[in-house]
Amino acid sequence: MGRIFGTDGVRGLANRDLTAELALDLSVAAAHVLGEAGAFADSRPTAVVARDPRASGEFLEAAIVAGLASAGVDVHLLGVVPTPGAAYLTAELDADMGVMISASHNAMPDNGIKFLARGGHKLDDAVEVAIEQRLREPWDRPTGIGVGRVGDSHVGVDAYVKHLVGTVPGPLTGLKVVLDCANGAAYHVGPAAFRRLGAEVVAIHDEPDGLNINEACGSTHLDDLQAAVVRHGADAGFAFDGDADRCLAVDASGQVVDGDQILAVLALARLERGLLHADTVVATVMSNLGFVQAMEAAGITVLQTAVGDRYVLEAMRAGGFTLGGEQSGHVIMADHATTGDGVLTALHLAARMSETGRTLADLAGVMRRLPQVLVNVPDVDKGRVDADPVLQGELVAANGALEGRGRILLRPSGTEPLVRVMVEAPTLEEATSVAEHLAGVVRRTLG
């Protein structure tokens, strides 16, 4: 069947690419692979299942639960919970595995399935390959008392909110914030956590109906948040995506504070407290050169990985590092979470404002963003990016013309049939010119 898992689980158009049948088969195969690998510790296995609010999550949840229970796994339903909440509760409830049903920032018609191992960690690539290989194989089905039981968890959201609040070093009294919940999984969790810490909260896009998730709102559409922050005279605004594993921010004047800037602020705060392991922060190759320069100036090493929070996580776990993230707003604080957590990130950014008395704009000013242009080139053979001699020759020439004043990255998308052309340069005009030229080369050579 080819690869089913992408860089962030299984994702596709719900009921077309991602069907109930596939969801059921995946859950059965996952239970078999994890069980035979010893993940269930020879005891009756348990799983937690959570989802974001999109409508298709309802039938996919039913299919996943049916698959797990038929494989002898007891299932605890968490309902609508952010991805990091599902990861936290997988560990907190001592479950053998977790499942999150979400397509993150994608539009409502899409959906996805992420499997979590014991402790709330994403599965290794090798485990995902093994699950794919075991799809629809014949198997001995348990009967009688051997089938799994299904019930609602009575811990869920409140336990996760309590955890979030407990990670923050001090109150947020006196801060006024706007939260764009993307009509997604953070619609209750985000406002609840901020209010418990004493912040004044204006919540927008916090009324999910199953159809409006990510619709012109959230971390991929910041216009409403920018306007609301200025209109309400707020100190800052924070935008989550559909499953709330990422966060972008807006300062009091409505200016965007991206993931690189957020990561820089948190890295310096942790360095100050002696909580930044090996004085190192993990980022990806998409991080702005200005971020790298700012961290180096502060004596912080930047370890860069391939794009994708799973690769950031792998590097963090391998080196014992405590902080990492992506420009898109995935920020991982390893001493509090096993994955990116948008609400956690927003809380700690707000806490830094509160404890220092500095504005978000002032804090974010620690780094100067080089103008960055990203061009997506669709419908090309992304597998030949590194092999096409004409394209590689043009790339060498373009890098030479920048003479170390910027950088270029050509990256095949992990989830779509396109190539991303990213260029950073001292001016927007130069970055745009180089990016458009290389995008044209990609179209001609790979189209």
Side-chain angles (χ1 to χ4, degrees):
M1 328 179 36
R3 287 307 310 268
I4 296 174
F5 285 90
T7 56
D8 197 21
V10 179
R11 193 176 295 185
L13 182 60
N15 216 28
R16 186 75 57 79
D17 305 315
L18 183 55
T19 63
E21 294 87 348
L22 178 58
L24 189 150
D25 290 339
L26 281 167
S27 61
V28 169
H32 290 164
V33 169
L34 290 173
E36 292 176 15
F40 297 161
D42 297 323
S43 60
R44 187 175 177 89
T46 60
V48 298
V49 176
R51 62 182 178 87
D52 70 23
R54 68 189 76 210
S56 59
E58 297 167 2
F59 81 77
L60 289 171
E61 178 187 68
I64 289 166
V65 169
L68 291 173
S70 71
V73 179
D74 290 338
V75 180
H76 301 289
L77 292 171
L78 300 177
V80 175
V81 175
T83 290
Y88 169 75
L89 290 167
T90 299
E92 179 69 10
L93 298 177
D94 198 29
D96 297 290
M97 62 183 292
V99 186
M100 180 67 196
I101 306 163
S102 175
S104 189
H105 61 282
N106 285 30
M108 182 277 295
D110 287 348
N111 216 326
I113 301 172
K114 304 176 190 179
F115 291 100
L116 302 167
R118 172 176 282 279
H121 298 283
K122 292 186 177 181
L123 301 183
D124 294 335
D125 288 343
V127 177
E128 291 183 343
V129 170
I131 291 172
E132 291 177 349
Q133 293 172 342
R134 300 285 294 275
L135 282 174
R136 304 188 182 104
E137 67 176 0
W139 56 290
D140 293 327
R141 299 170 183 268
T143 59
I145 63 172
V147 300
R149 303 297 300 275
V150 182
D152 293 329
S153 169
H154 298 291
V155 180
V157 174
D158 285 342
Y160 175 51
V161 171
K162 182 178 179 181
H163 160 69
L164 291 171
V165 170
T167 70
V168 180
L172 303 180
T173 308
L175 281 184
K176 183 176 183 179
V177 300
V178 179
L179 303 182
D180 183 342
C181 301
N183 290 316
Y187 79 99
H188 171 74
V189 167
F194 269 89
R195 286 175 179 138
R196 286 194 193 181
L197 285 162
E200 181 181 352
V201 177
V202 177
I204 63 174
H205 300 299
D206 60 334
E207 298 181 355
D209 61 11
L211 307 178
N212 58 3
I213 187 170
N214 297 321
E215 186 177 356
C217 60
S219 61
T220 54
H221 300 86
L222 294 173
D223 290 352
D224 281 1
L225 179 63
Q226 291 172 287
V229 167
V230 174
R231 183 170 65 252
H232 290 281
D235 298 295
F238 303 100
F240 312 119
D241 62 340
D243 69 337
D245 66 350
R246 70 172 70 182
C247 167
L248 292 180
V250 169
D251 68 24
S253 68
Q255 293 298 306
V256 174
V257 177
D258 71 9
D260 285 338
Q261 293 169 297
I262 292 171
L263 198 58
V265 173
L266 296 181
L268 292 176
R270 284 175 164 261
L271 181 68
E272 185 180 292
R273 297 192 189 101
L275 299 176
L276 191 67
H277 178 69
D279 295 347
T280 297
V281 61
V282 181
T284 77
V285 292
M286 286 293 288
S287 288
N288 193 280
L289 184 58
F291 168 77
V292 177
Q293 293 170 341
M295 293 297 93
E296 289 177 347
I300 296 174
T301 299
V302 178
L303 175 62
Q304 290 184 287
T305 73
V307 175
D309 63 323
R310 67 181 304 151
Y311 302 114
V312 174
L313 270 166
E314 287 174 3
M316 291 177 67
R317 293 176 69 181
F321 303 120
T322 54
L323 183 67
E326 297 184 282
Q327 188 184 70
S328 61
H330 282 116
V331 174
I332 304 160
M333 305 172 71
D335 41 3
H336 301 308
T338 60
T339 186
D341 190 324
V343 178
L344 181 73
T345 299
L347 288 168
H348 281 259
L349 195 55
R352 185 61 173 169
M353 295 171 61
S354 183
E355 68 184 359
T356 62
R358 296 169 64 185
T359 66
L360 182 55
D362 184 33
L363 290 169
V366 67
M367 64 164 279
R368 173 185 173 269
R369 282 185 295 187
L370 268 69
Q372 185 182 85
V373 174
L374 179 64
V375 179
N376 291 328
V377 186
D379 303 320
V380 293
D381 183 359
K382 63 182 182 180
R384 292 196 293 115
V385 167
D386 296 327
D388 187 271
V390 174
L391 177 57
Q392 289 301 309
E394 291 286 347
L395 180 59
V396 169
N399 272 313
L402 281 174
E403 299 176 340
R405 298 174 298 114
R407 67 190 185 105
I408 300 168
L409 180 66
L410 299 186
R411 184 176 71 88
S413 169
T415 58
E416 302 172 80
L418 58 83
V419 172
R420 305 188 195 280
V421 180
M422 190 277 286
V423 178
E424 291 170 350
T427 67
L428 179 60
E429 292 75 17
E430 186 174 11
T432 300
S433 175
V434 175
E436 290 180 347
H437 170 71
L438 286 174
V441 176
V442 169
R443 290 188 192 95
R444 291 193 301 272
T445 58
L446 306 184

